[in-house]
């Protein structure tokens, strides 16, 4: 009987077995299902704005309205320093970076709950869905990044005191995106595992992201902070990323290499932990959801 079972298994192209080892991640499967990943990315982009009047224009509307709000409230009313930079560029730089992180984190944190019906019907590597959110988020980032570059060129032509570092832009922009992707995916995976059991977290995620923005130098520069508060803000791994982005594109901000290394290490440790937790929860989440 045992030989018949073994012979039968050999006839199958794919054998799905439970994962007994927490480090048994099967990341190679992601490559085998790469076409499914592309399909999910297309779905994420098309489905959101398919039945809207403005369509992809909404990618521009949100950062523009947010920037105008920040200029009026924090720039003109509160008169918070922008390190001598044009207010529009200062806020738009921070918003462009923060939007990618926050939107990707929010999307990945709902992976199990939103896709419960799909998970219950067919097998595929579950990690593909949160990974598709990271990639589709890059496309949205590219559109908002284009808006930022256009604004940057406009102010450069006007003779504003801006000193972009072309070499820094070429080298560090991909690195910043990689760190943000790893950080948002890692945190999102951990939250997605927790929300399957504790639904109250869904209400806290949006609130926590909003608080996180104020703990990141989006509406203020690090240079404006007192030393006793600055160390707490630097502990936020997103702070070094935002400041580095402003430094290489606008010439103002802090390019702190130890802080950037800290953000990188923190992001990839969180990503590793998130993948392990995600793979453990996916075995039993259908019983919880």
């Amino acid at each position: 009987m045992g030989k018949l079972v073994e012979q039968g298994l050999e006839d199958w192209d794919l054998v799905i077995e439970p994962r007994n080892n927490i480090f048994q991640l099967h990341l190679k499967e992601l490559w085998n299902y790469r076409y499914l990943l592309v399909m999910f990315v297309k779905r994420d982009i098309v489905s959101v704005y398919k039945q809207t009047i403005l369509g992809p224009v909404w990618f521009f509307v949100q950062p523009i309205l947010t920037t105008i709000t920040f200029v009026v409230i924090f720039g003109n009313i509160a008169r918070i320093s922008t390190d001598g930079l044009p207010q529009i560029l200062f806020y738009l730089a921070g918003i462009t970076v923060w939007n990618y992180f926050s939107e990707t984190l929010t999307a990945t944190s709902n992976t199990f709950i939103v896709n419960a019906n799909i998970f219950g019907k067919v097998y595929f590597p579950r990690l593909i869905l949160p990974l598709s959110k990271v990639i589709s988020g890059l496309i949205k980032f590219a559109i908002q990044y284009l808006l930022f570059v256009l604004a940057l060129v406009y102010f450069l032509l006007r003779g504003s005191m801006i000193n972009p570092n072309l070499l820094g832009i070429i080298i560090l922009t991909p690195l910043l995106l990689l760190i943000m992707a790893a950080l948002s995916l890692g945190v999102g995976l951990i939250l997605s595992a927790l929300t399957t059991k504790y639904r109250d977290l869904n209400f806290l995620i949006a609130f926590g992201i909003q608080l996180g923005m104020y703990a990141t130098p989006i509406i203020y520069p690090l240079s404006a902070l007192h030393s006793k508060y600055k160390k707490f803000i630097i502990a936020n791994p997103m702070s070094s990323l935002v400041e580095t982005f402003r430094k290489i594109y606008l010439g103002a901000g802090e390019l702190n290499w130890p802080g950037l290394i800290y953000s990188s290490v923190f992001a990839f440790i969180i990503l590793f932990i998130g993948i392990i937790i995600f793979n453990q929860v996916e075995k039993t989440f259908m019983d919880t959801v």
Side-chain angles (χ1 to χ4, degrees), residues 15-49:
V15 178
I16 303 173
E17 298 176 333
R19 299 172 184 174
N20 299 319
N21 190 335
I22 61 173
F23 297 107
Q24 190 178 0
L25 305 180
H26 292 296
L27 297 180
K28 185 180 178 181
E29 287 187 347
L30 296 177
W31 175 253
N32 296 333
Y33 285 83
R34 59 190 179 278
Y35 301 110
L36 182 62
L37 175 62
V38 173
M39 187 192 72
F40 280 131
V41 171
K42 291 180 179 179
R43 182 200 66 173
D44 293 340
I45 297 298
V46 174
S47 62
V48 176
Y49 298 103

Side-chain angles (χ1 to χ4, degrees), residues 156-169:
L156 281 173
L157 294 176
R158 288 189 56 187
S160 300
M161 297 300 294
I162 305 168
N163 299 297
N165 185 328
L166 184 59
L167 182 61
I169 290 173

